[in-house]
Structure formats: structure tokens, C-alpha cells
Amino acid sequence: RVLSTWDPTAAMAAVNTALPHQPLAIPAELATVLHEADRWAERTGRAFEPAVGALVDAWGVRTGGRTPTAAERSAALRNTGAGAFTISLTDHTVTRHLPGAWIDTGAFGKGYALRAVERILEEHGVTRALLDFGGQLLVLGEPGAPWPVDIAHPARRAEAVLQLEISRGSVATSGDSERPGHLLDPRTGTPVPAWGSVTVV
């Protein structure tokens, strides 16, 4: 309900269709997570980019894939990245500055949801759990009793290439084996080359 970019009644739909240059009041929870995502974008030199929606559209990532023209890619790049949005934690507003820009929550939504679930589990006294949100896991355990977490082979998803032992944290794996072309470099406006997969703990 907070981060969906598919539900037209969700708060993110209002953010992504807001009139340019007009601050929009949003729930405090949404302002907090969008601000955090933007901070990570800055820390990664915008390699991680929430405001990548224009490129998602240009490449048809949600509609089966397509190759944009050079002009379409240039237009999408102009509506991507730093300066597309301003998020204010002071008054819980977001301002969309570029008319074709929108924030795709796919790269951080699962992590945020898992963190929220972790708080709920802890409030109910749960000390050991393994939750799988499809490509991202939440692991709760005690020292000395870790969970085994298989990491899939980049090209053969049914085959584990290694196994981690995780007592507490989150594990996310992303690659191109299941959906070629869906990982975009927001700095170039093109899909990343086939390179395998990356797992972050």
C-alpha cells in the first residue's frame, strides 16, 4: 500500500504523477523511505537510481521488452536521476521536477518491506525466522545457529553455486538469468552487459 507502483490508488502513484514543481504532501513513512533511497543513490554515484522509471518505460521492462530509438533513450535519460525529485523530511512532501520522471520502487521495496516485517516479528517475540520475498531473504537467528542460504548459479537457477551461513540480516541476489535486460545502468541508459549475478548480504 505504501510503495506499490502498480496500484493506481497507492501513494506512489500520486508521487509519480504529481504536477511538476508543485510539492505534494505524502505520508511520513513514504517520505522517510524515499529519502533513504535517494541517499543511497547519492552514495553510489547514482549507479543505484530510484528515479529510473523513464528508462524502464523506454526499454519496455514491464511490458516484455523493446529497444528504444536513440532519441527515446536520450529523452528517458533526461527524465532520470539526480534532480528528478526533491524529498523533504521537514514537511513530508515530494516535488517532481521533470514531467517524464517516475520512481521505480522495485530495487528497494522488498528490503523496506522485510525490515518492516522484522520489526513486527520482534514485537511478537519471534527470534528465529527465514522469510523469502522472491530474490531477497530476511534471516533472523541466534549466534551459533545460522540459517543455510543457497546462492543460485547465475546461469542455472536451480543449481546452488555456494551456501552461506547467516545468523541475522538480509540476503539479496540479482542477475539477468531469469529476465535478461531488466537491469539498467541509469548513467548510460542501457541494460548492463550479461555478467552473472551479485549477492549482497
Side-chain angles (χ1 to χ4, degrees), residues 33-43 46 49-50 87:
V33 70
L34 291 180
H35 185 265
E36 181 181 359
D38 193 59
R39 282 182 51 234
W40 279 107
E42 291 174 2
R43 291 176 71 175
R46 310 304 293 197
E49 180 56 67
I87 298 104

Side-chain angles (χ1 to χ4, degrees), residues 36-37 40 45 48 51 53 61 98 119 142 146 150 154 162 174 185:
E36 181 181 359
W40 279 107
F48 167 75
V61 172
L98 305 173
R119 286 193 301 267
E142 297 95 9
D150 288 338
L162 62 91
S174 191
D185 185 337

Side-chain angles (χ1 to χ4, degrees), residues 31-104:
T32 299
V33 70
L34 291 180
H35 185 265
E36 181 181 359
D38 193 59
R39 282 182 51 234
W40 279 107
E42 291 174 2
R43 291 176 71 175
T44 63
R46 310 304 293 197
F48 167 75
E49 180 56 67
V52 73
L55 285 171
V56 169
D57 288 342
W59 286 94
V61 172
R62 292 183 165 199
T63 57
R66 64 184 292 271
T67 301
T69 65
E72 289 172 331
R73 194 176 78 214
S74 293
L77 273 170
R78 287 193 299 273
N79 284 282
T80 296
F85 290 84
T86 300
I87 298 104
S88 171
L89 289 180
T90 305
D91 56 4
H92 303 133
T93 62
V94 62
T95 304
R96 185 166 75 130
H97 299 290
L98 305 173
W102 63 274
I103 295 171
D104 187 348

Side-chain angles (χ1 to χ4, degrees), residues 7 17 21-23 55 81 92 95 102 113 120 129 151 173 179 181:
D7 180 357
T17 58
H21 311 299
Q22 297 190 18
L55 285 171
H92 303 133
T95 304
W102 63 274
I120 292 168
I151 304 301
T173 299
R179 293 174 53 208

